[in-house]
Amino acid sequence: MNHLPITEDTVIFGLLCLCLGFVFYTSSIKTGFWKKFYTIVPTLLMCYLLPAILISTGLISEENSRLYYIASRYLLPAALVLMTLSIDLKAIVNLGSKALIMFLTGTAGIIIGGPIAILIVSSFSPETVGGNDFDAVWRGLSTIAGSWIGGGANQAAMLEVFSYNPKKFGDMVLIDIVVANIWMAIILLGIGKSDKIDKWLKADTSSIETLKIKVSEYTAKITRITTLHDYIIMLSLAFTAVGIAHFSGFHFSEFLQENFEVIRNKQKALSSLGSEFLWMVVFATTIGIILSFTKAKNYEGAGASKIGGLFIYILVATIGMKMDLRSFLDKPGLIAVGLIWISIHAGLLILVAKIIRAPYFFLAVGSQANVGGAASAPIVAAEFHPSLTSVGILLAVLGYVVGTAGAYICALLMEIASKV
């Protein structure tokens, strides 16, 4: 009797934990094959790819799974609180303007990448980017632009604004997830080579290194043996903050939608500011920053950011579940559009980083703040150093703000390109 794929979340979660355990155990082996393997492939990337393999081989199914929802709504905000406890706001300000420049470059890459990808694909496969009226492919691609500049709320706004055929929307979600996940895998692969990349970019990483050293020295000074008392207080702080963040996020987004037409109307550029998830992330981060001005900051010495890191890795595993490698075979033409599009985004980021000598950290986080949003930008930032998590959060929030307007411009350009 065939019981595959596995659909029970309890069993799937057990398999995800097995994947995480396998990666961390093998990455701790300092000799032979595994040492060589992990000098090439970062541990975070493996935590992401193994669940993707489980999905792609048909061993598990995430179709009705709630694991990503729980990880992104419960564990992500808890991680943001725990990882911003030791934040140094002044040092983050001292990182300078390059982070913002790289973020805006990433946004520009998405805006111009869509129409260019349509022009390229239309030259050899016009039917892939064709369609009429509400079935027109450019309308569907506008939802990807919304997702890649901002997030889910911006994507929903574009679906509303351009009235793409809802029956075909699933194809666009597929391209969004597959291409964005491939790009994230490449970004994570680059983290393991960030020193070499920074050398090639001739980047000045002094401000980032100063921040890392400052936080590491502070952590070393307050480090102590963690007790059960410490763990309970840290979890109390984190999940009380999660509760407050959800409560405040829900009521604040509701207040904005009830009182401001510009936010209530899905056809307006600022409608994404009505996103409950966005405000939940903002409030969780704000609580973490407020706690950094209190004695709670000393819980960094008891391993606050390590617990936050644990939550982040669970989130990464649930994100990996969304990447079904078999989907390449379903819509090869549309996947090609997505790959060309993301390549233009990547190429522009590399060009500007080379010109302004921006560190790979700013390239990676600036890109993920666009393409990945609030769920993955902090993950990528934290992989460089837990003290840098807040940079990813701040840029991701900015992505929500500019997402709908940027996607709207991109959609208009794609409409023109599809008629050339």
Side-chain angles (χ1 to χ4, degrees), residues 66 69-79 239 242 246 280 311:
R66 298 268 297 167
Y69 180 86
I70 292 168
S72 61
R73 266 57 174 188
Y74 298 1
L75 300 185
L76 173 62
F239 286 102
V242 171
H246 272 274
M280 180 270 291
F311 294 160

Side-chain angles (χ1 to χ4, degrees), residues 280-303:
M280 180 270 291
V281 168
V282 170
F283 282 115
T285 307
T286 303
I287 293 167
I289 291 169
I290 291 167
L291 288 173
S292 74
F293 290 100
T294 70
K295 287 183 180 178
K297 184 171 186 172
N298 292 331
Y299 279 102
E300 175 58 26

Side-chain angles (χ1 to χ4, degrees), residues 67-127:
L67 291 177
Y68 172 74
Y69 180 86
I70 292 168
S72 61
R73 266 57 174 188
Y74 298 1
L75 300 185
L76 173 62
L80 297 180
V81 172
L82 292 168
M83 295 174 98
T84 50
L85 276 179
S86 59
I87 195 173
D88 188 330
L89 283 178
K90 188 180 175 185
I92 285 178
V93 171
N94 290 340
L95 289 176
S97 60
K98 287 182 181 177
L100 184 61
I101 292 170
M102 293 308 294
F103 166 78
L104 293 173
T105 299
T107 304
I110 300 298
I111 292 172
I112 65 170
I116 293 172
I118 285 177
L119 288 172
I120 292 171
V121 174
S122 66
S123 66
F124 60 85
S125 180
E127 67 282 357

Side-chain angles (χ1 to χ4, degrees), residues 16-242:
L16 295 184
C17 289
L18 179 64
C19 290
L20 293 176
F22 172 79
V23 171
F24 274 79
Y25 174 74
T26 51
S27 64
S28 68
I29 298 170
K30 300 303 178 189
T31 56
F33 168 77
W34 290 114
K35 186 187 179 191
K36 292 175 184 174
F37 181 81
Y38 284 104
T39 55
I40 300 167
V41 183
T43 54
L44 188 65
L45 178 58
M46 281 299 291
C47 294
Y48 178 73
L49 284 179
L50 289 183
I53 291 169
L54 293 180
I55 282 284
S56 304
T57 53
L59 182 62
I60 63 174
S61 169
E62 69 94 35
E63 197 174 333
N64 299 310
S65 175
R66 298 268 297 167
L67 291 177
Y68 172 74
Y69 180 86
I70 292 168
S72 61
R73 266 57 174 188
Y74 298 1
L75 300 185
L76 173 62
L80 297 180
V81 172
L82 292 168
M83 295 174 98
T84 50
L85 276 179
S86 59
I87 195 173
D88 188 330
L89 283 178
K90 188 180 175 185
I92 285 178
V93 171
N94 290 340
L95 289 176
S97 60
K98 287 182 181 177
L100 184 61
I101 292 170
M102 293 308 294
F103 166 78
L104 293 173
T105 299
T107 304
I110 300 298
I111 292 172
I112 65 170
I116 293 172
I118 285 177
L119 288 172
I120 292 171
V121 174
S122 66
S123 66
F124 60 85
S125 180
E127 67 282 357
T128 300
V129 290
N132 298 308
D133 298 324
F134 298 120
D135 286 345
V137 171
W138 68 266
R139 292 179 188 273
L141 295 175
S142 73
T143 66
I144 298 176
S147 175
W148 285 359
I149 299 174
N154 307 81
Q155 184 174 41
M158 289 299 99
L159 183 62
E160 189 85 19
V161 171
F162 292 105
S163 306
Y164 184 57
N165 185 346
K167 291 179 181 176
K168 296 190 173 185
F169 179 54
D171 293 346
M172 298 301 155
V173 173
L174 175 74
I175 302 163
D176 175 10
I177 292 170
V178 170
V179 177
N181 280 305
I182 290 169
W183 175 233
M184 186 174 173
I186 294 168
I187 289 276
L188 296 177
L189 197 59
I191 292 175
K193 308 282 183 189
S194 59
D195 290 343
K196 289 181 180 177
I197 295 170
D198 284 337
K199 199 172 179 183
W200 178 76
L201 292 169
K202 297 179 181 174
D204 176 14
T205 59
S206 56
S207 59
I208 296 172
E209 294 306 318
T210 301
L211 178 56
K212 284 186 193 174
I213 292 164
K214 203 171 177 182
V215 172
S216 298
E217 286 177 350
Y218 176 74
T219 304
K221 190 171 75 175
I222 60 172
T223 295
R224 61 180 188 268
I225 296 171
T226 313
T227 64
L228 178 62
H229 175 272
D230 290 326
Y231 283 123
I232 289 175
I233 295 296
M234 285 189 285
L235 289 177
S236 172
L237 287 171
F239 286 102
T240 300
V242 171

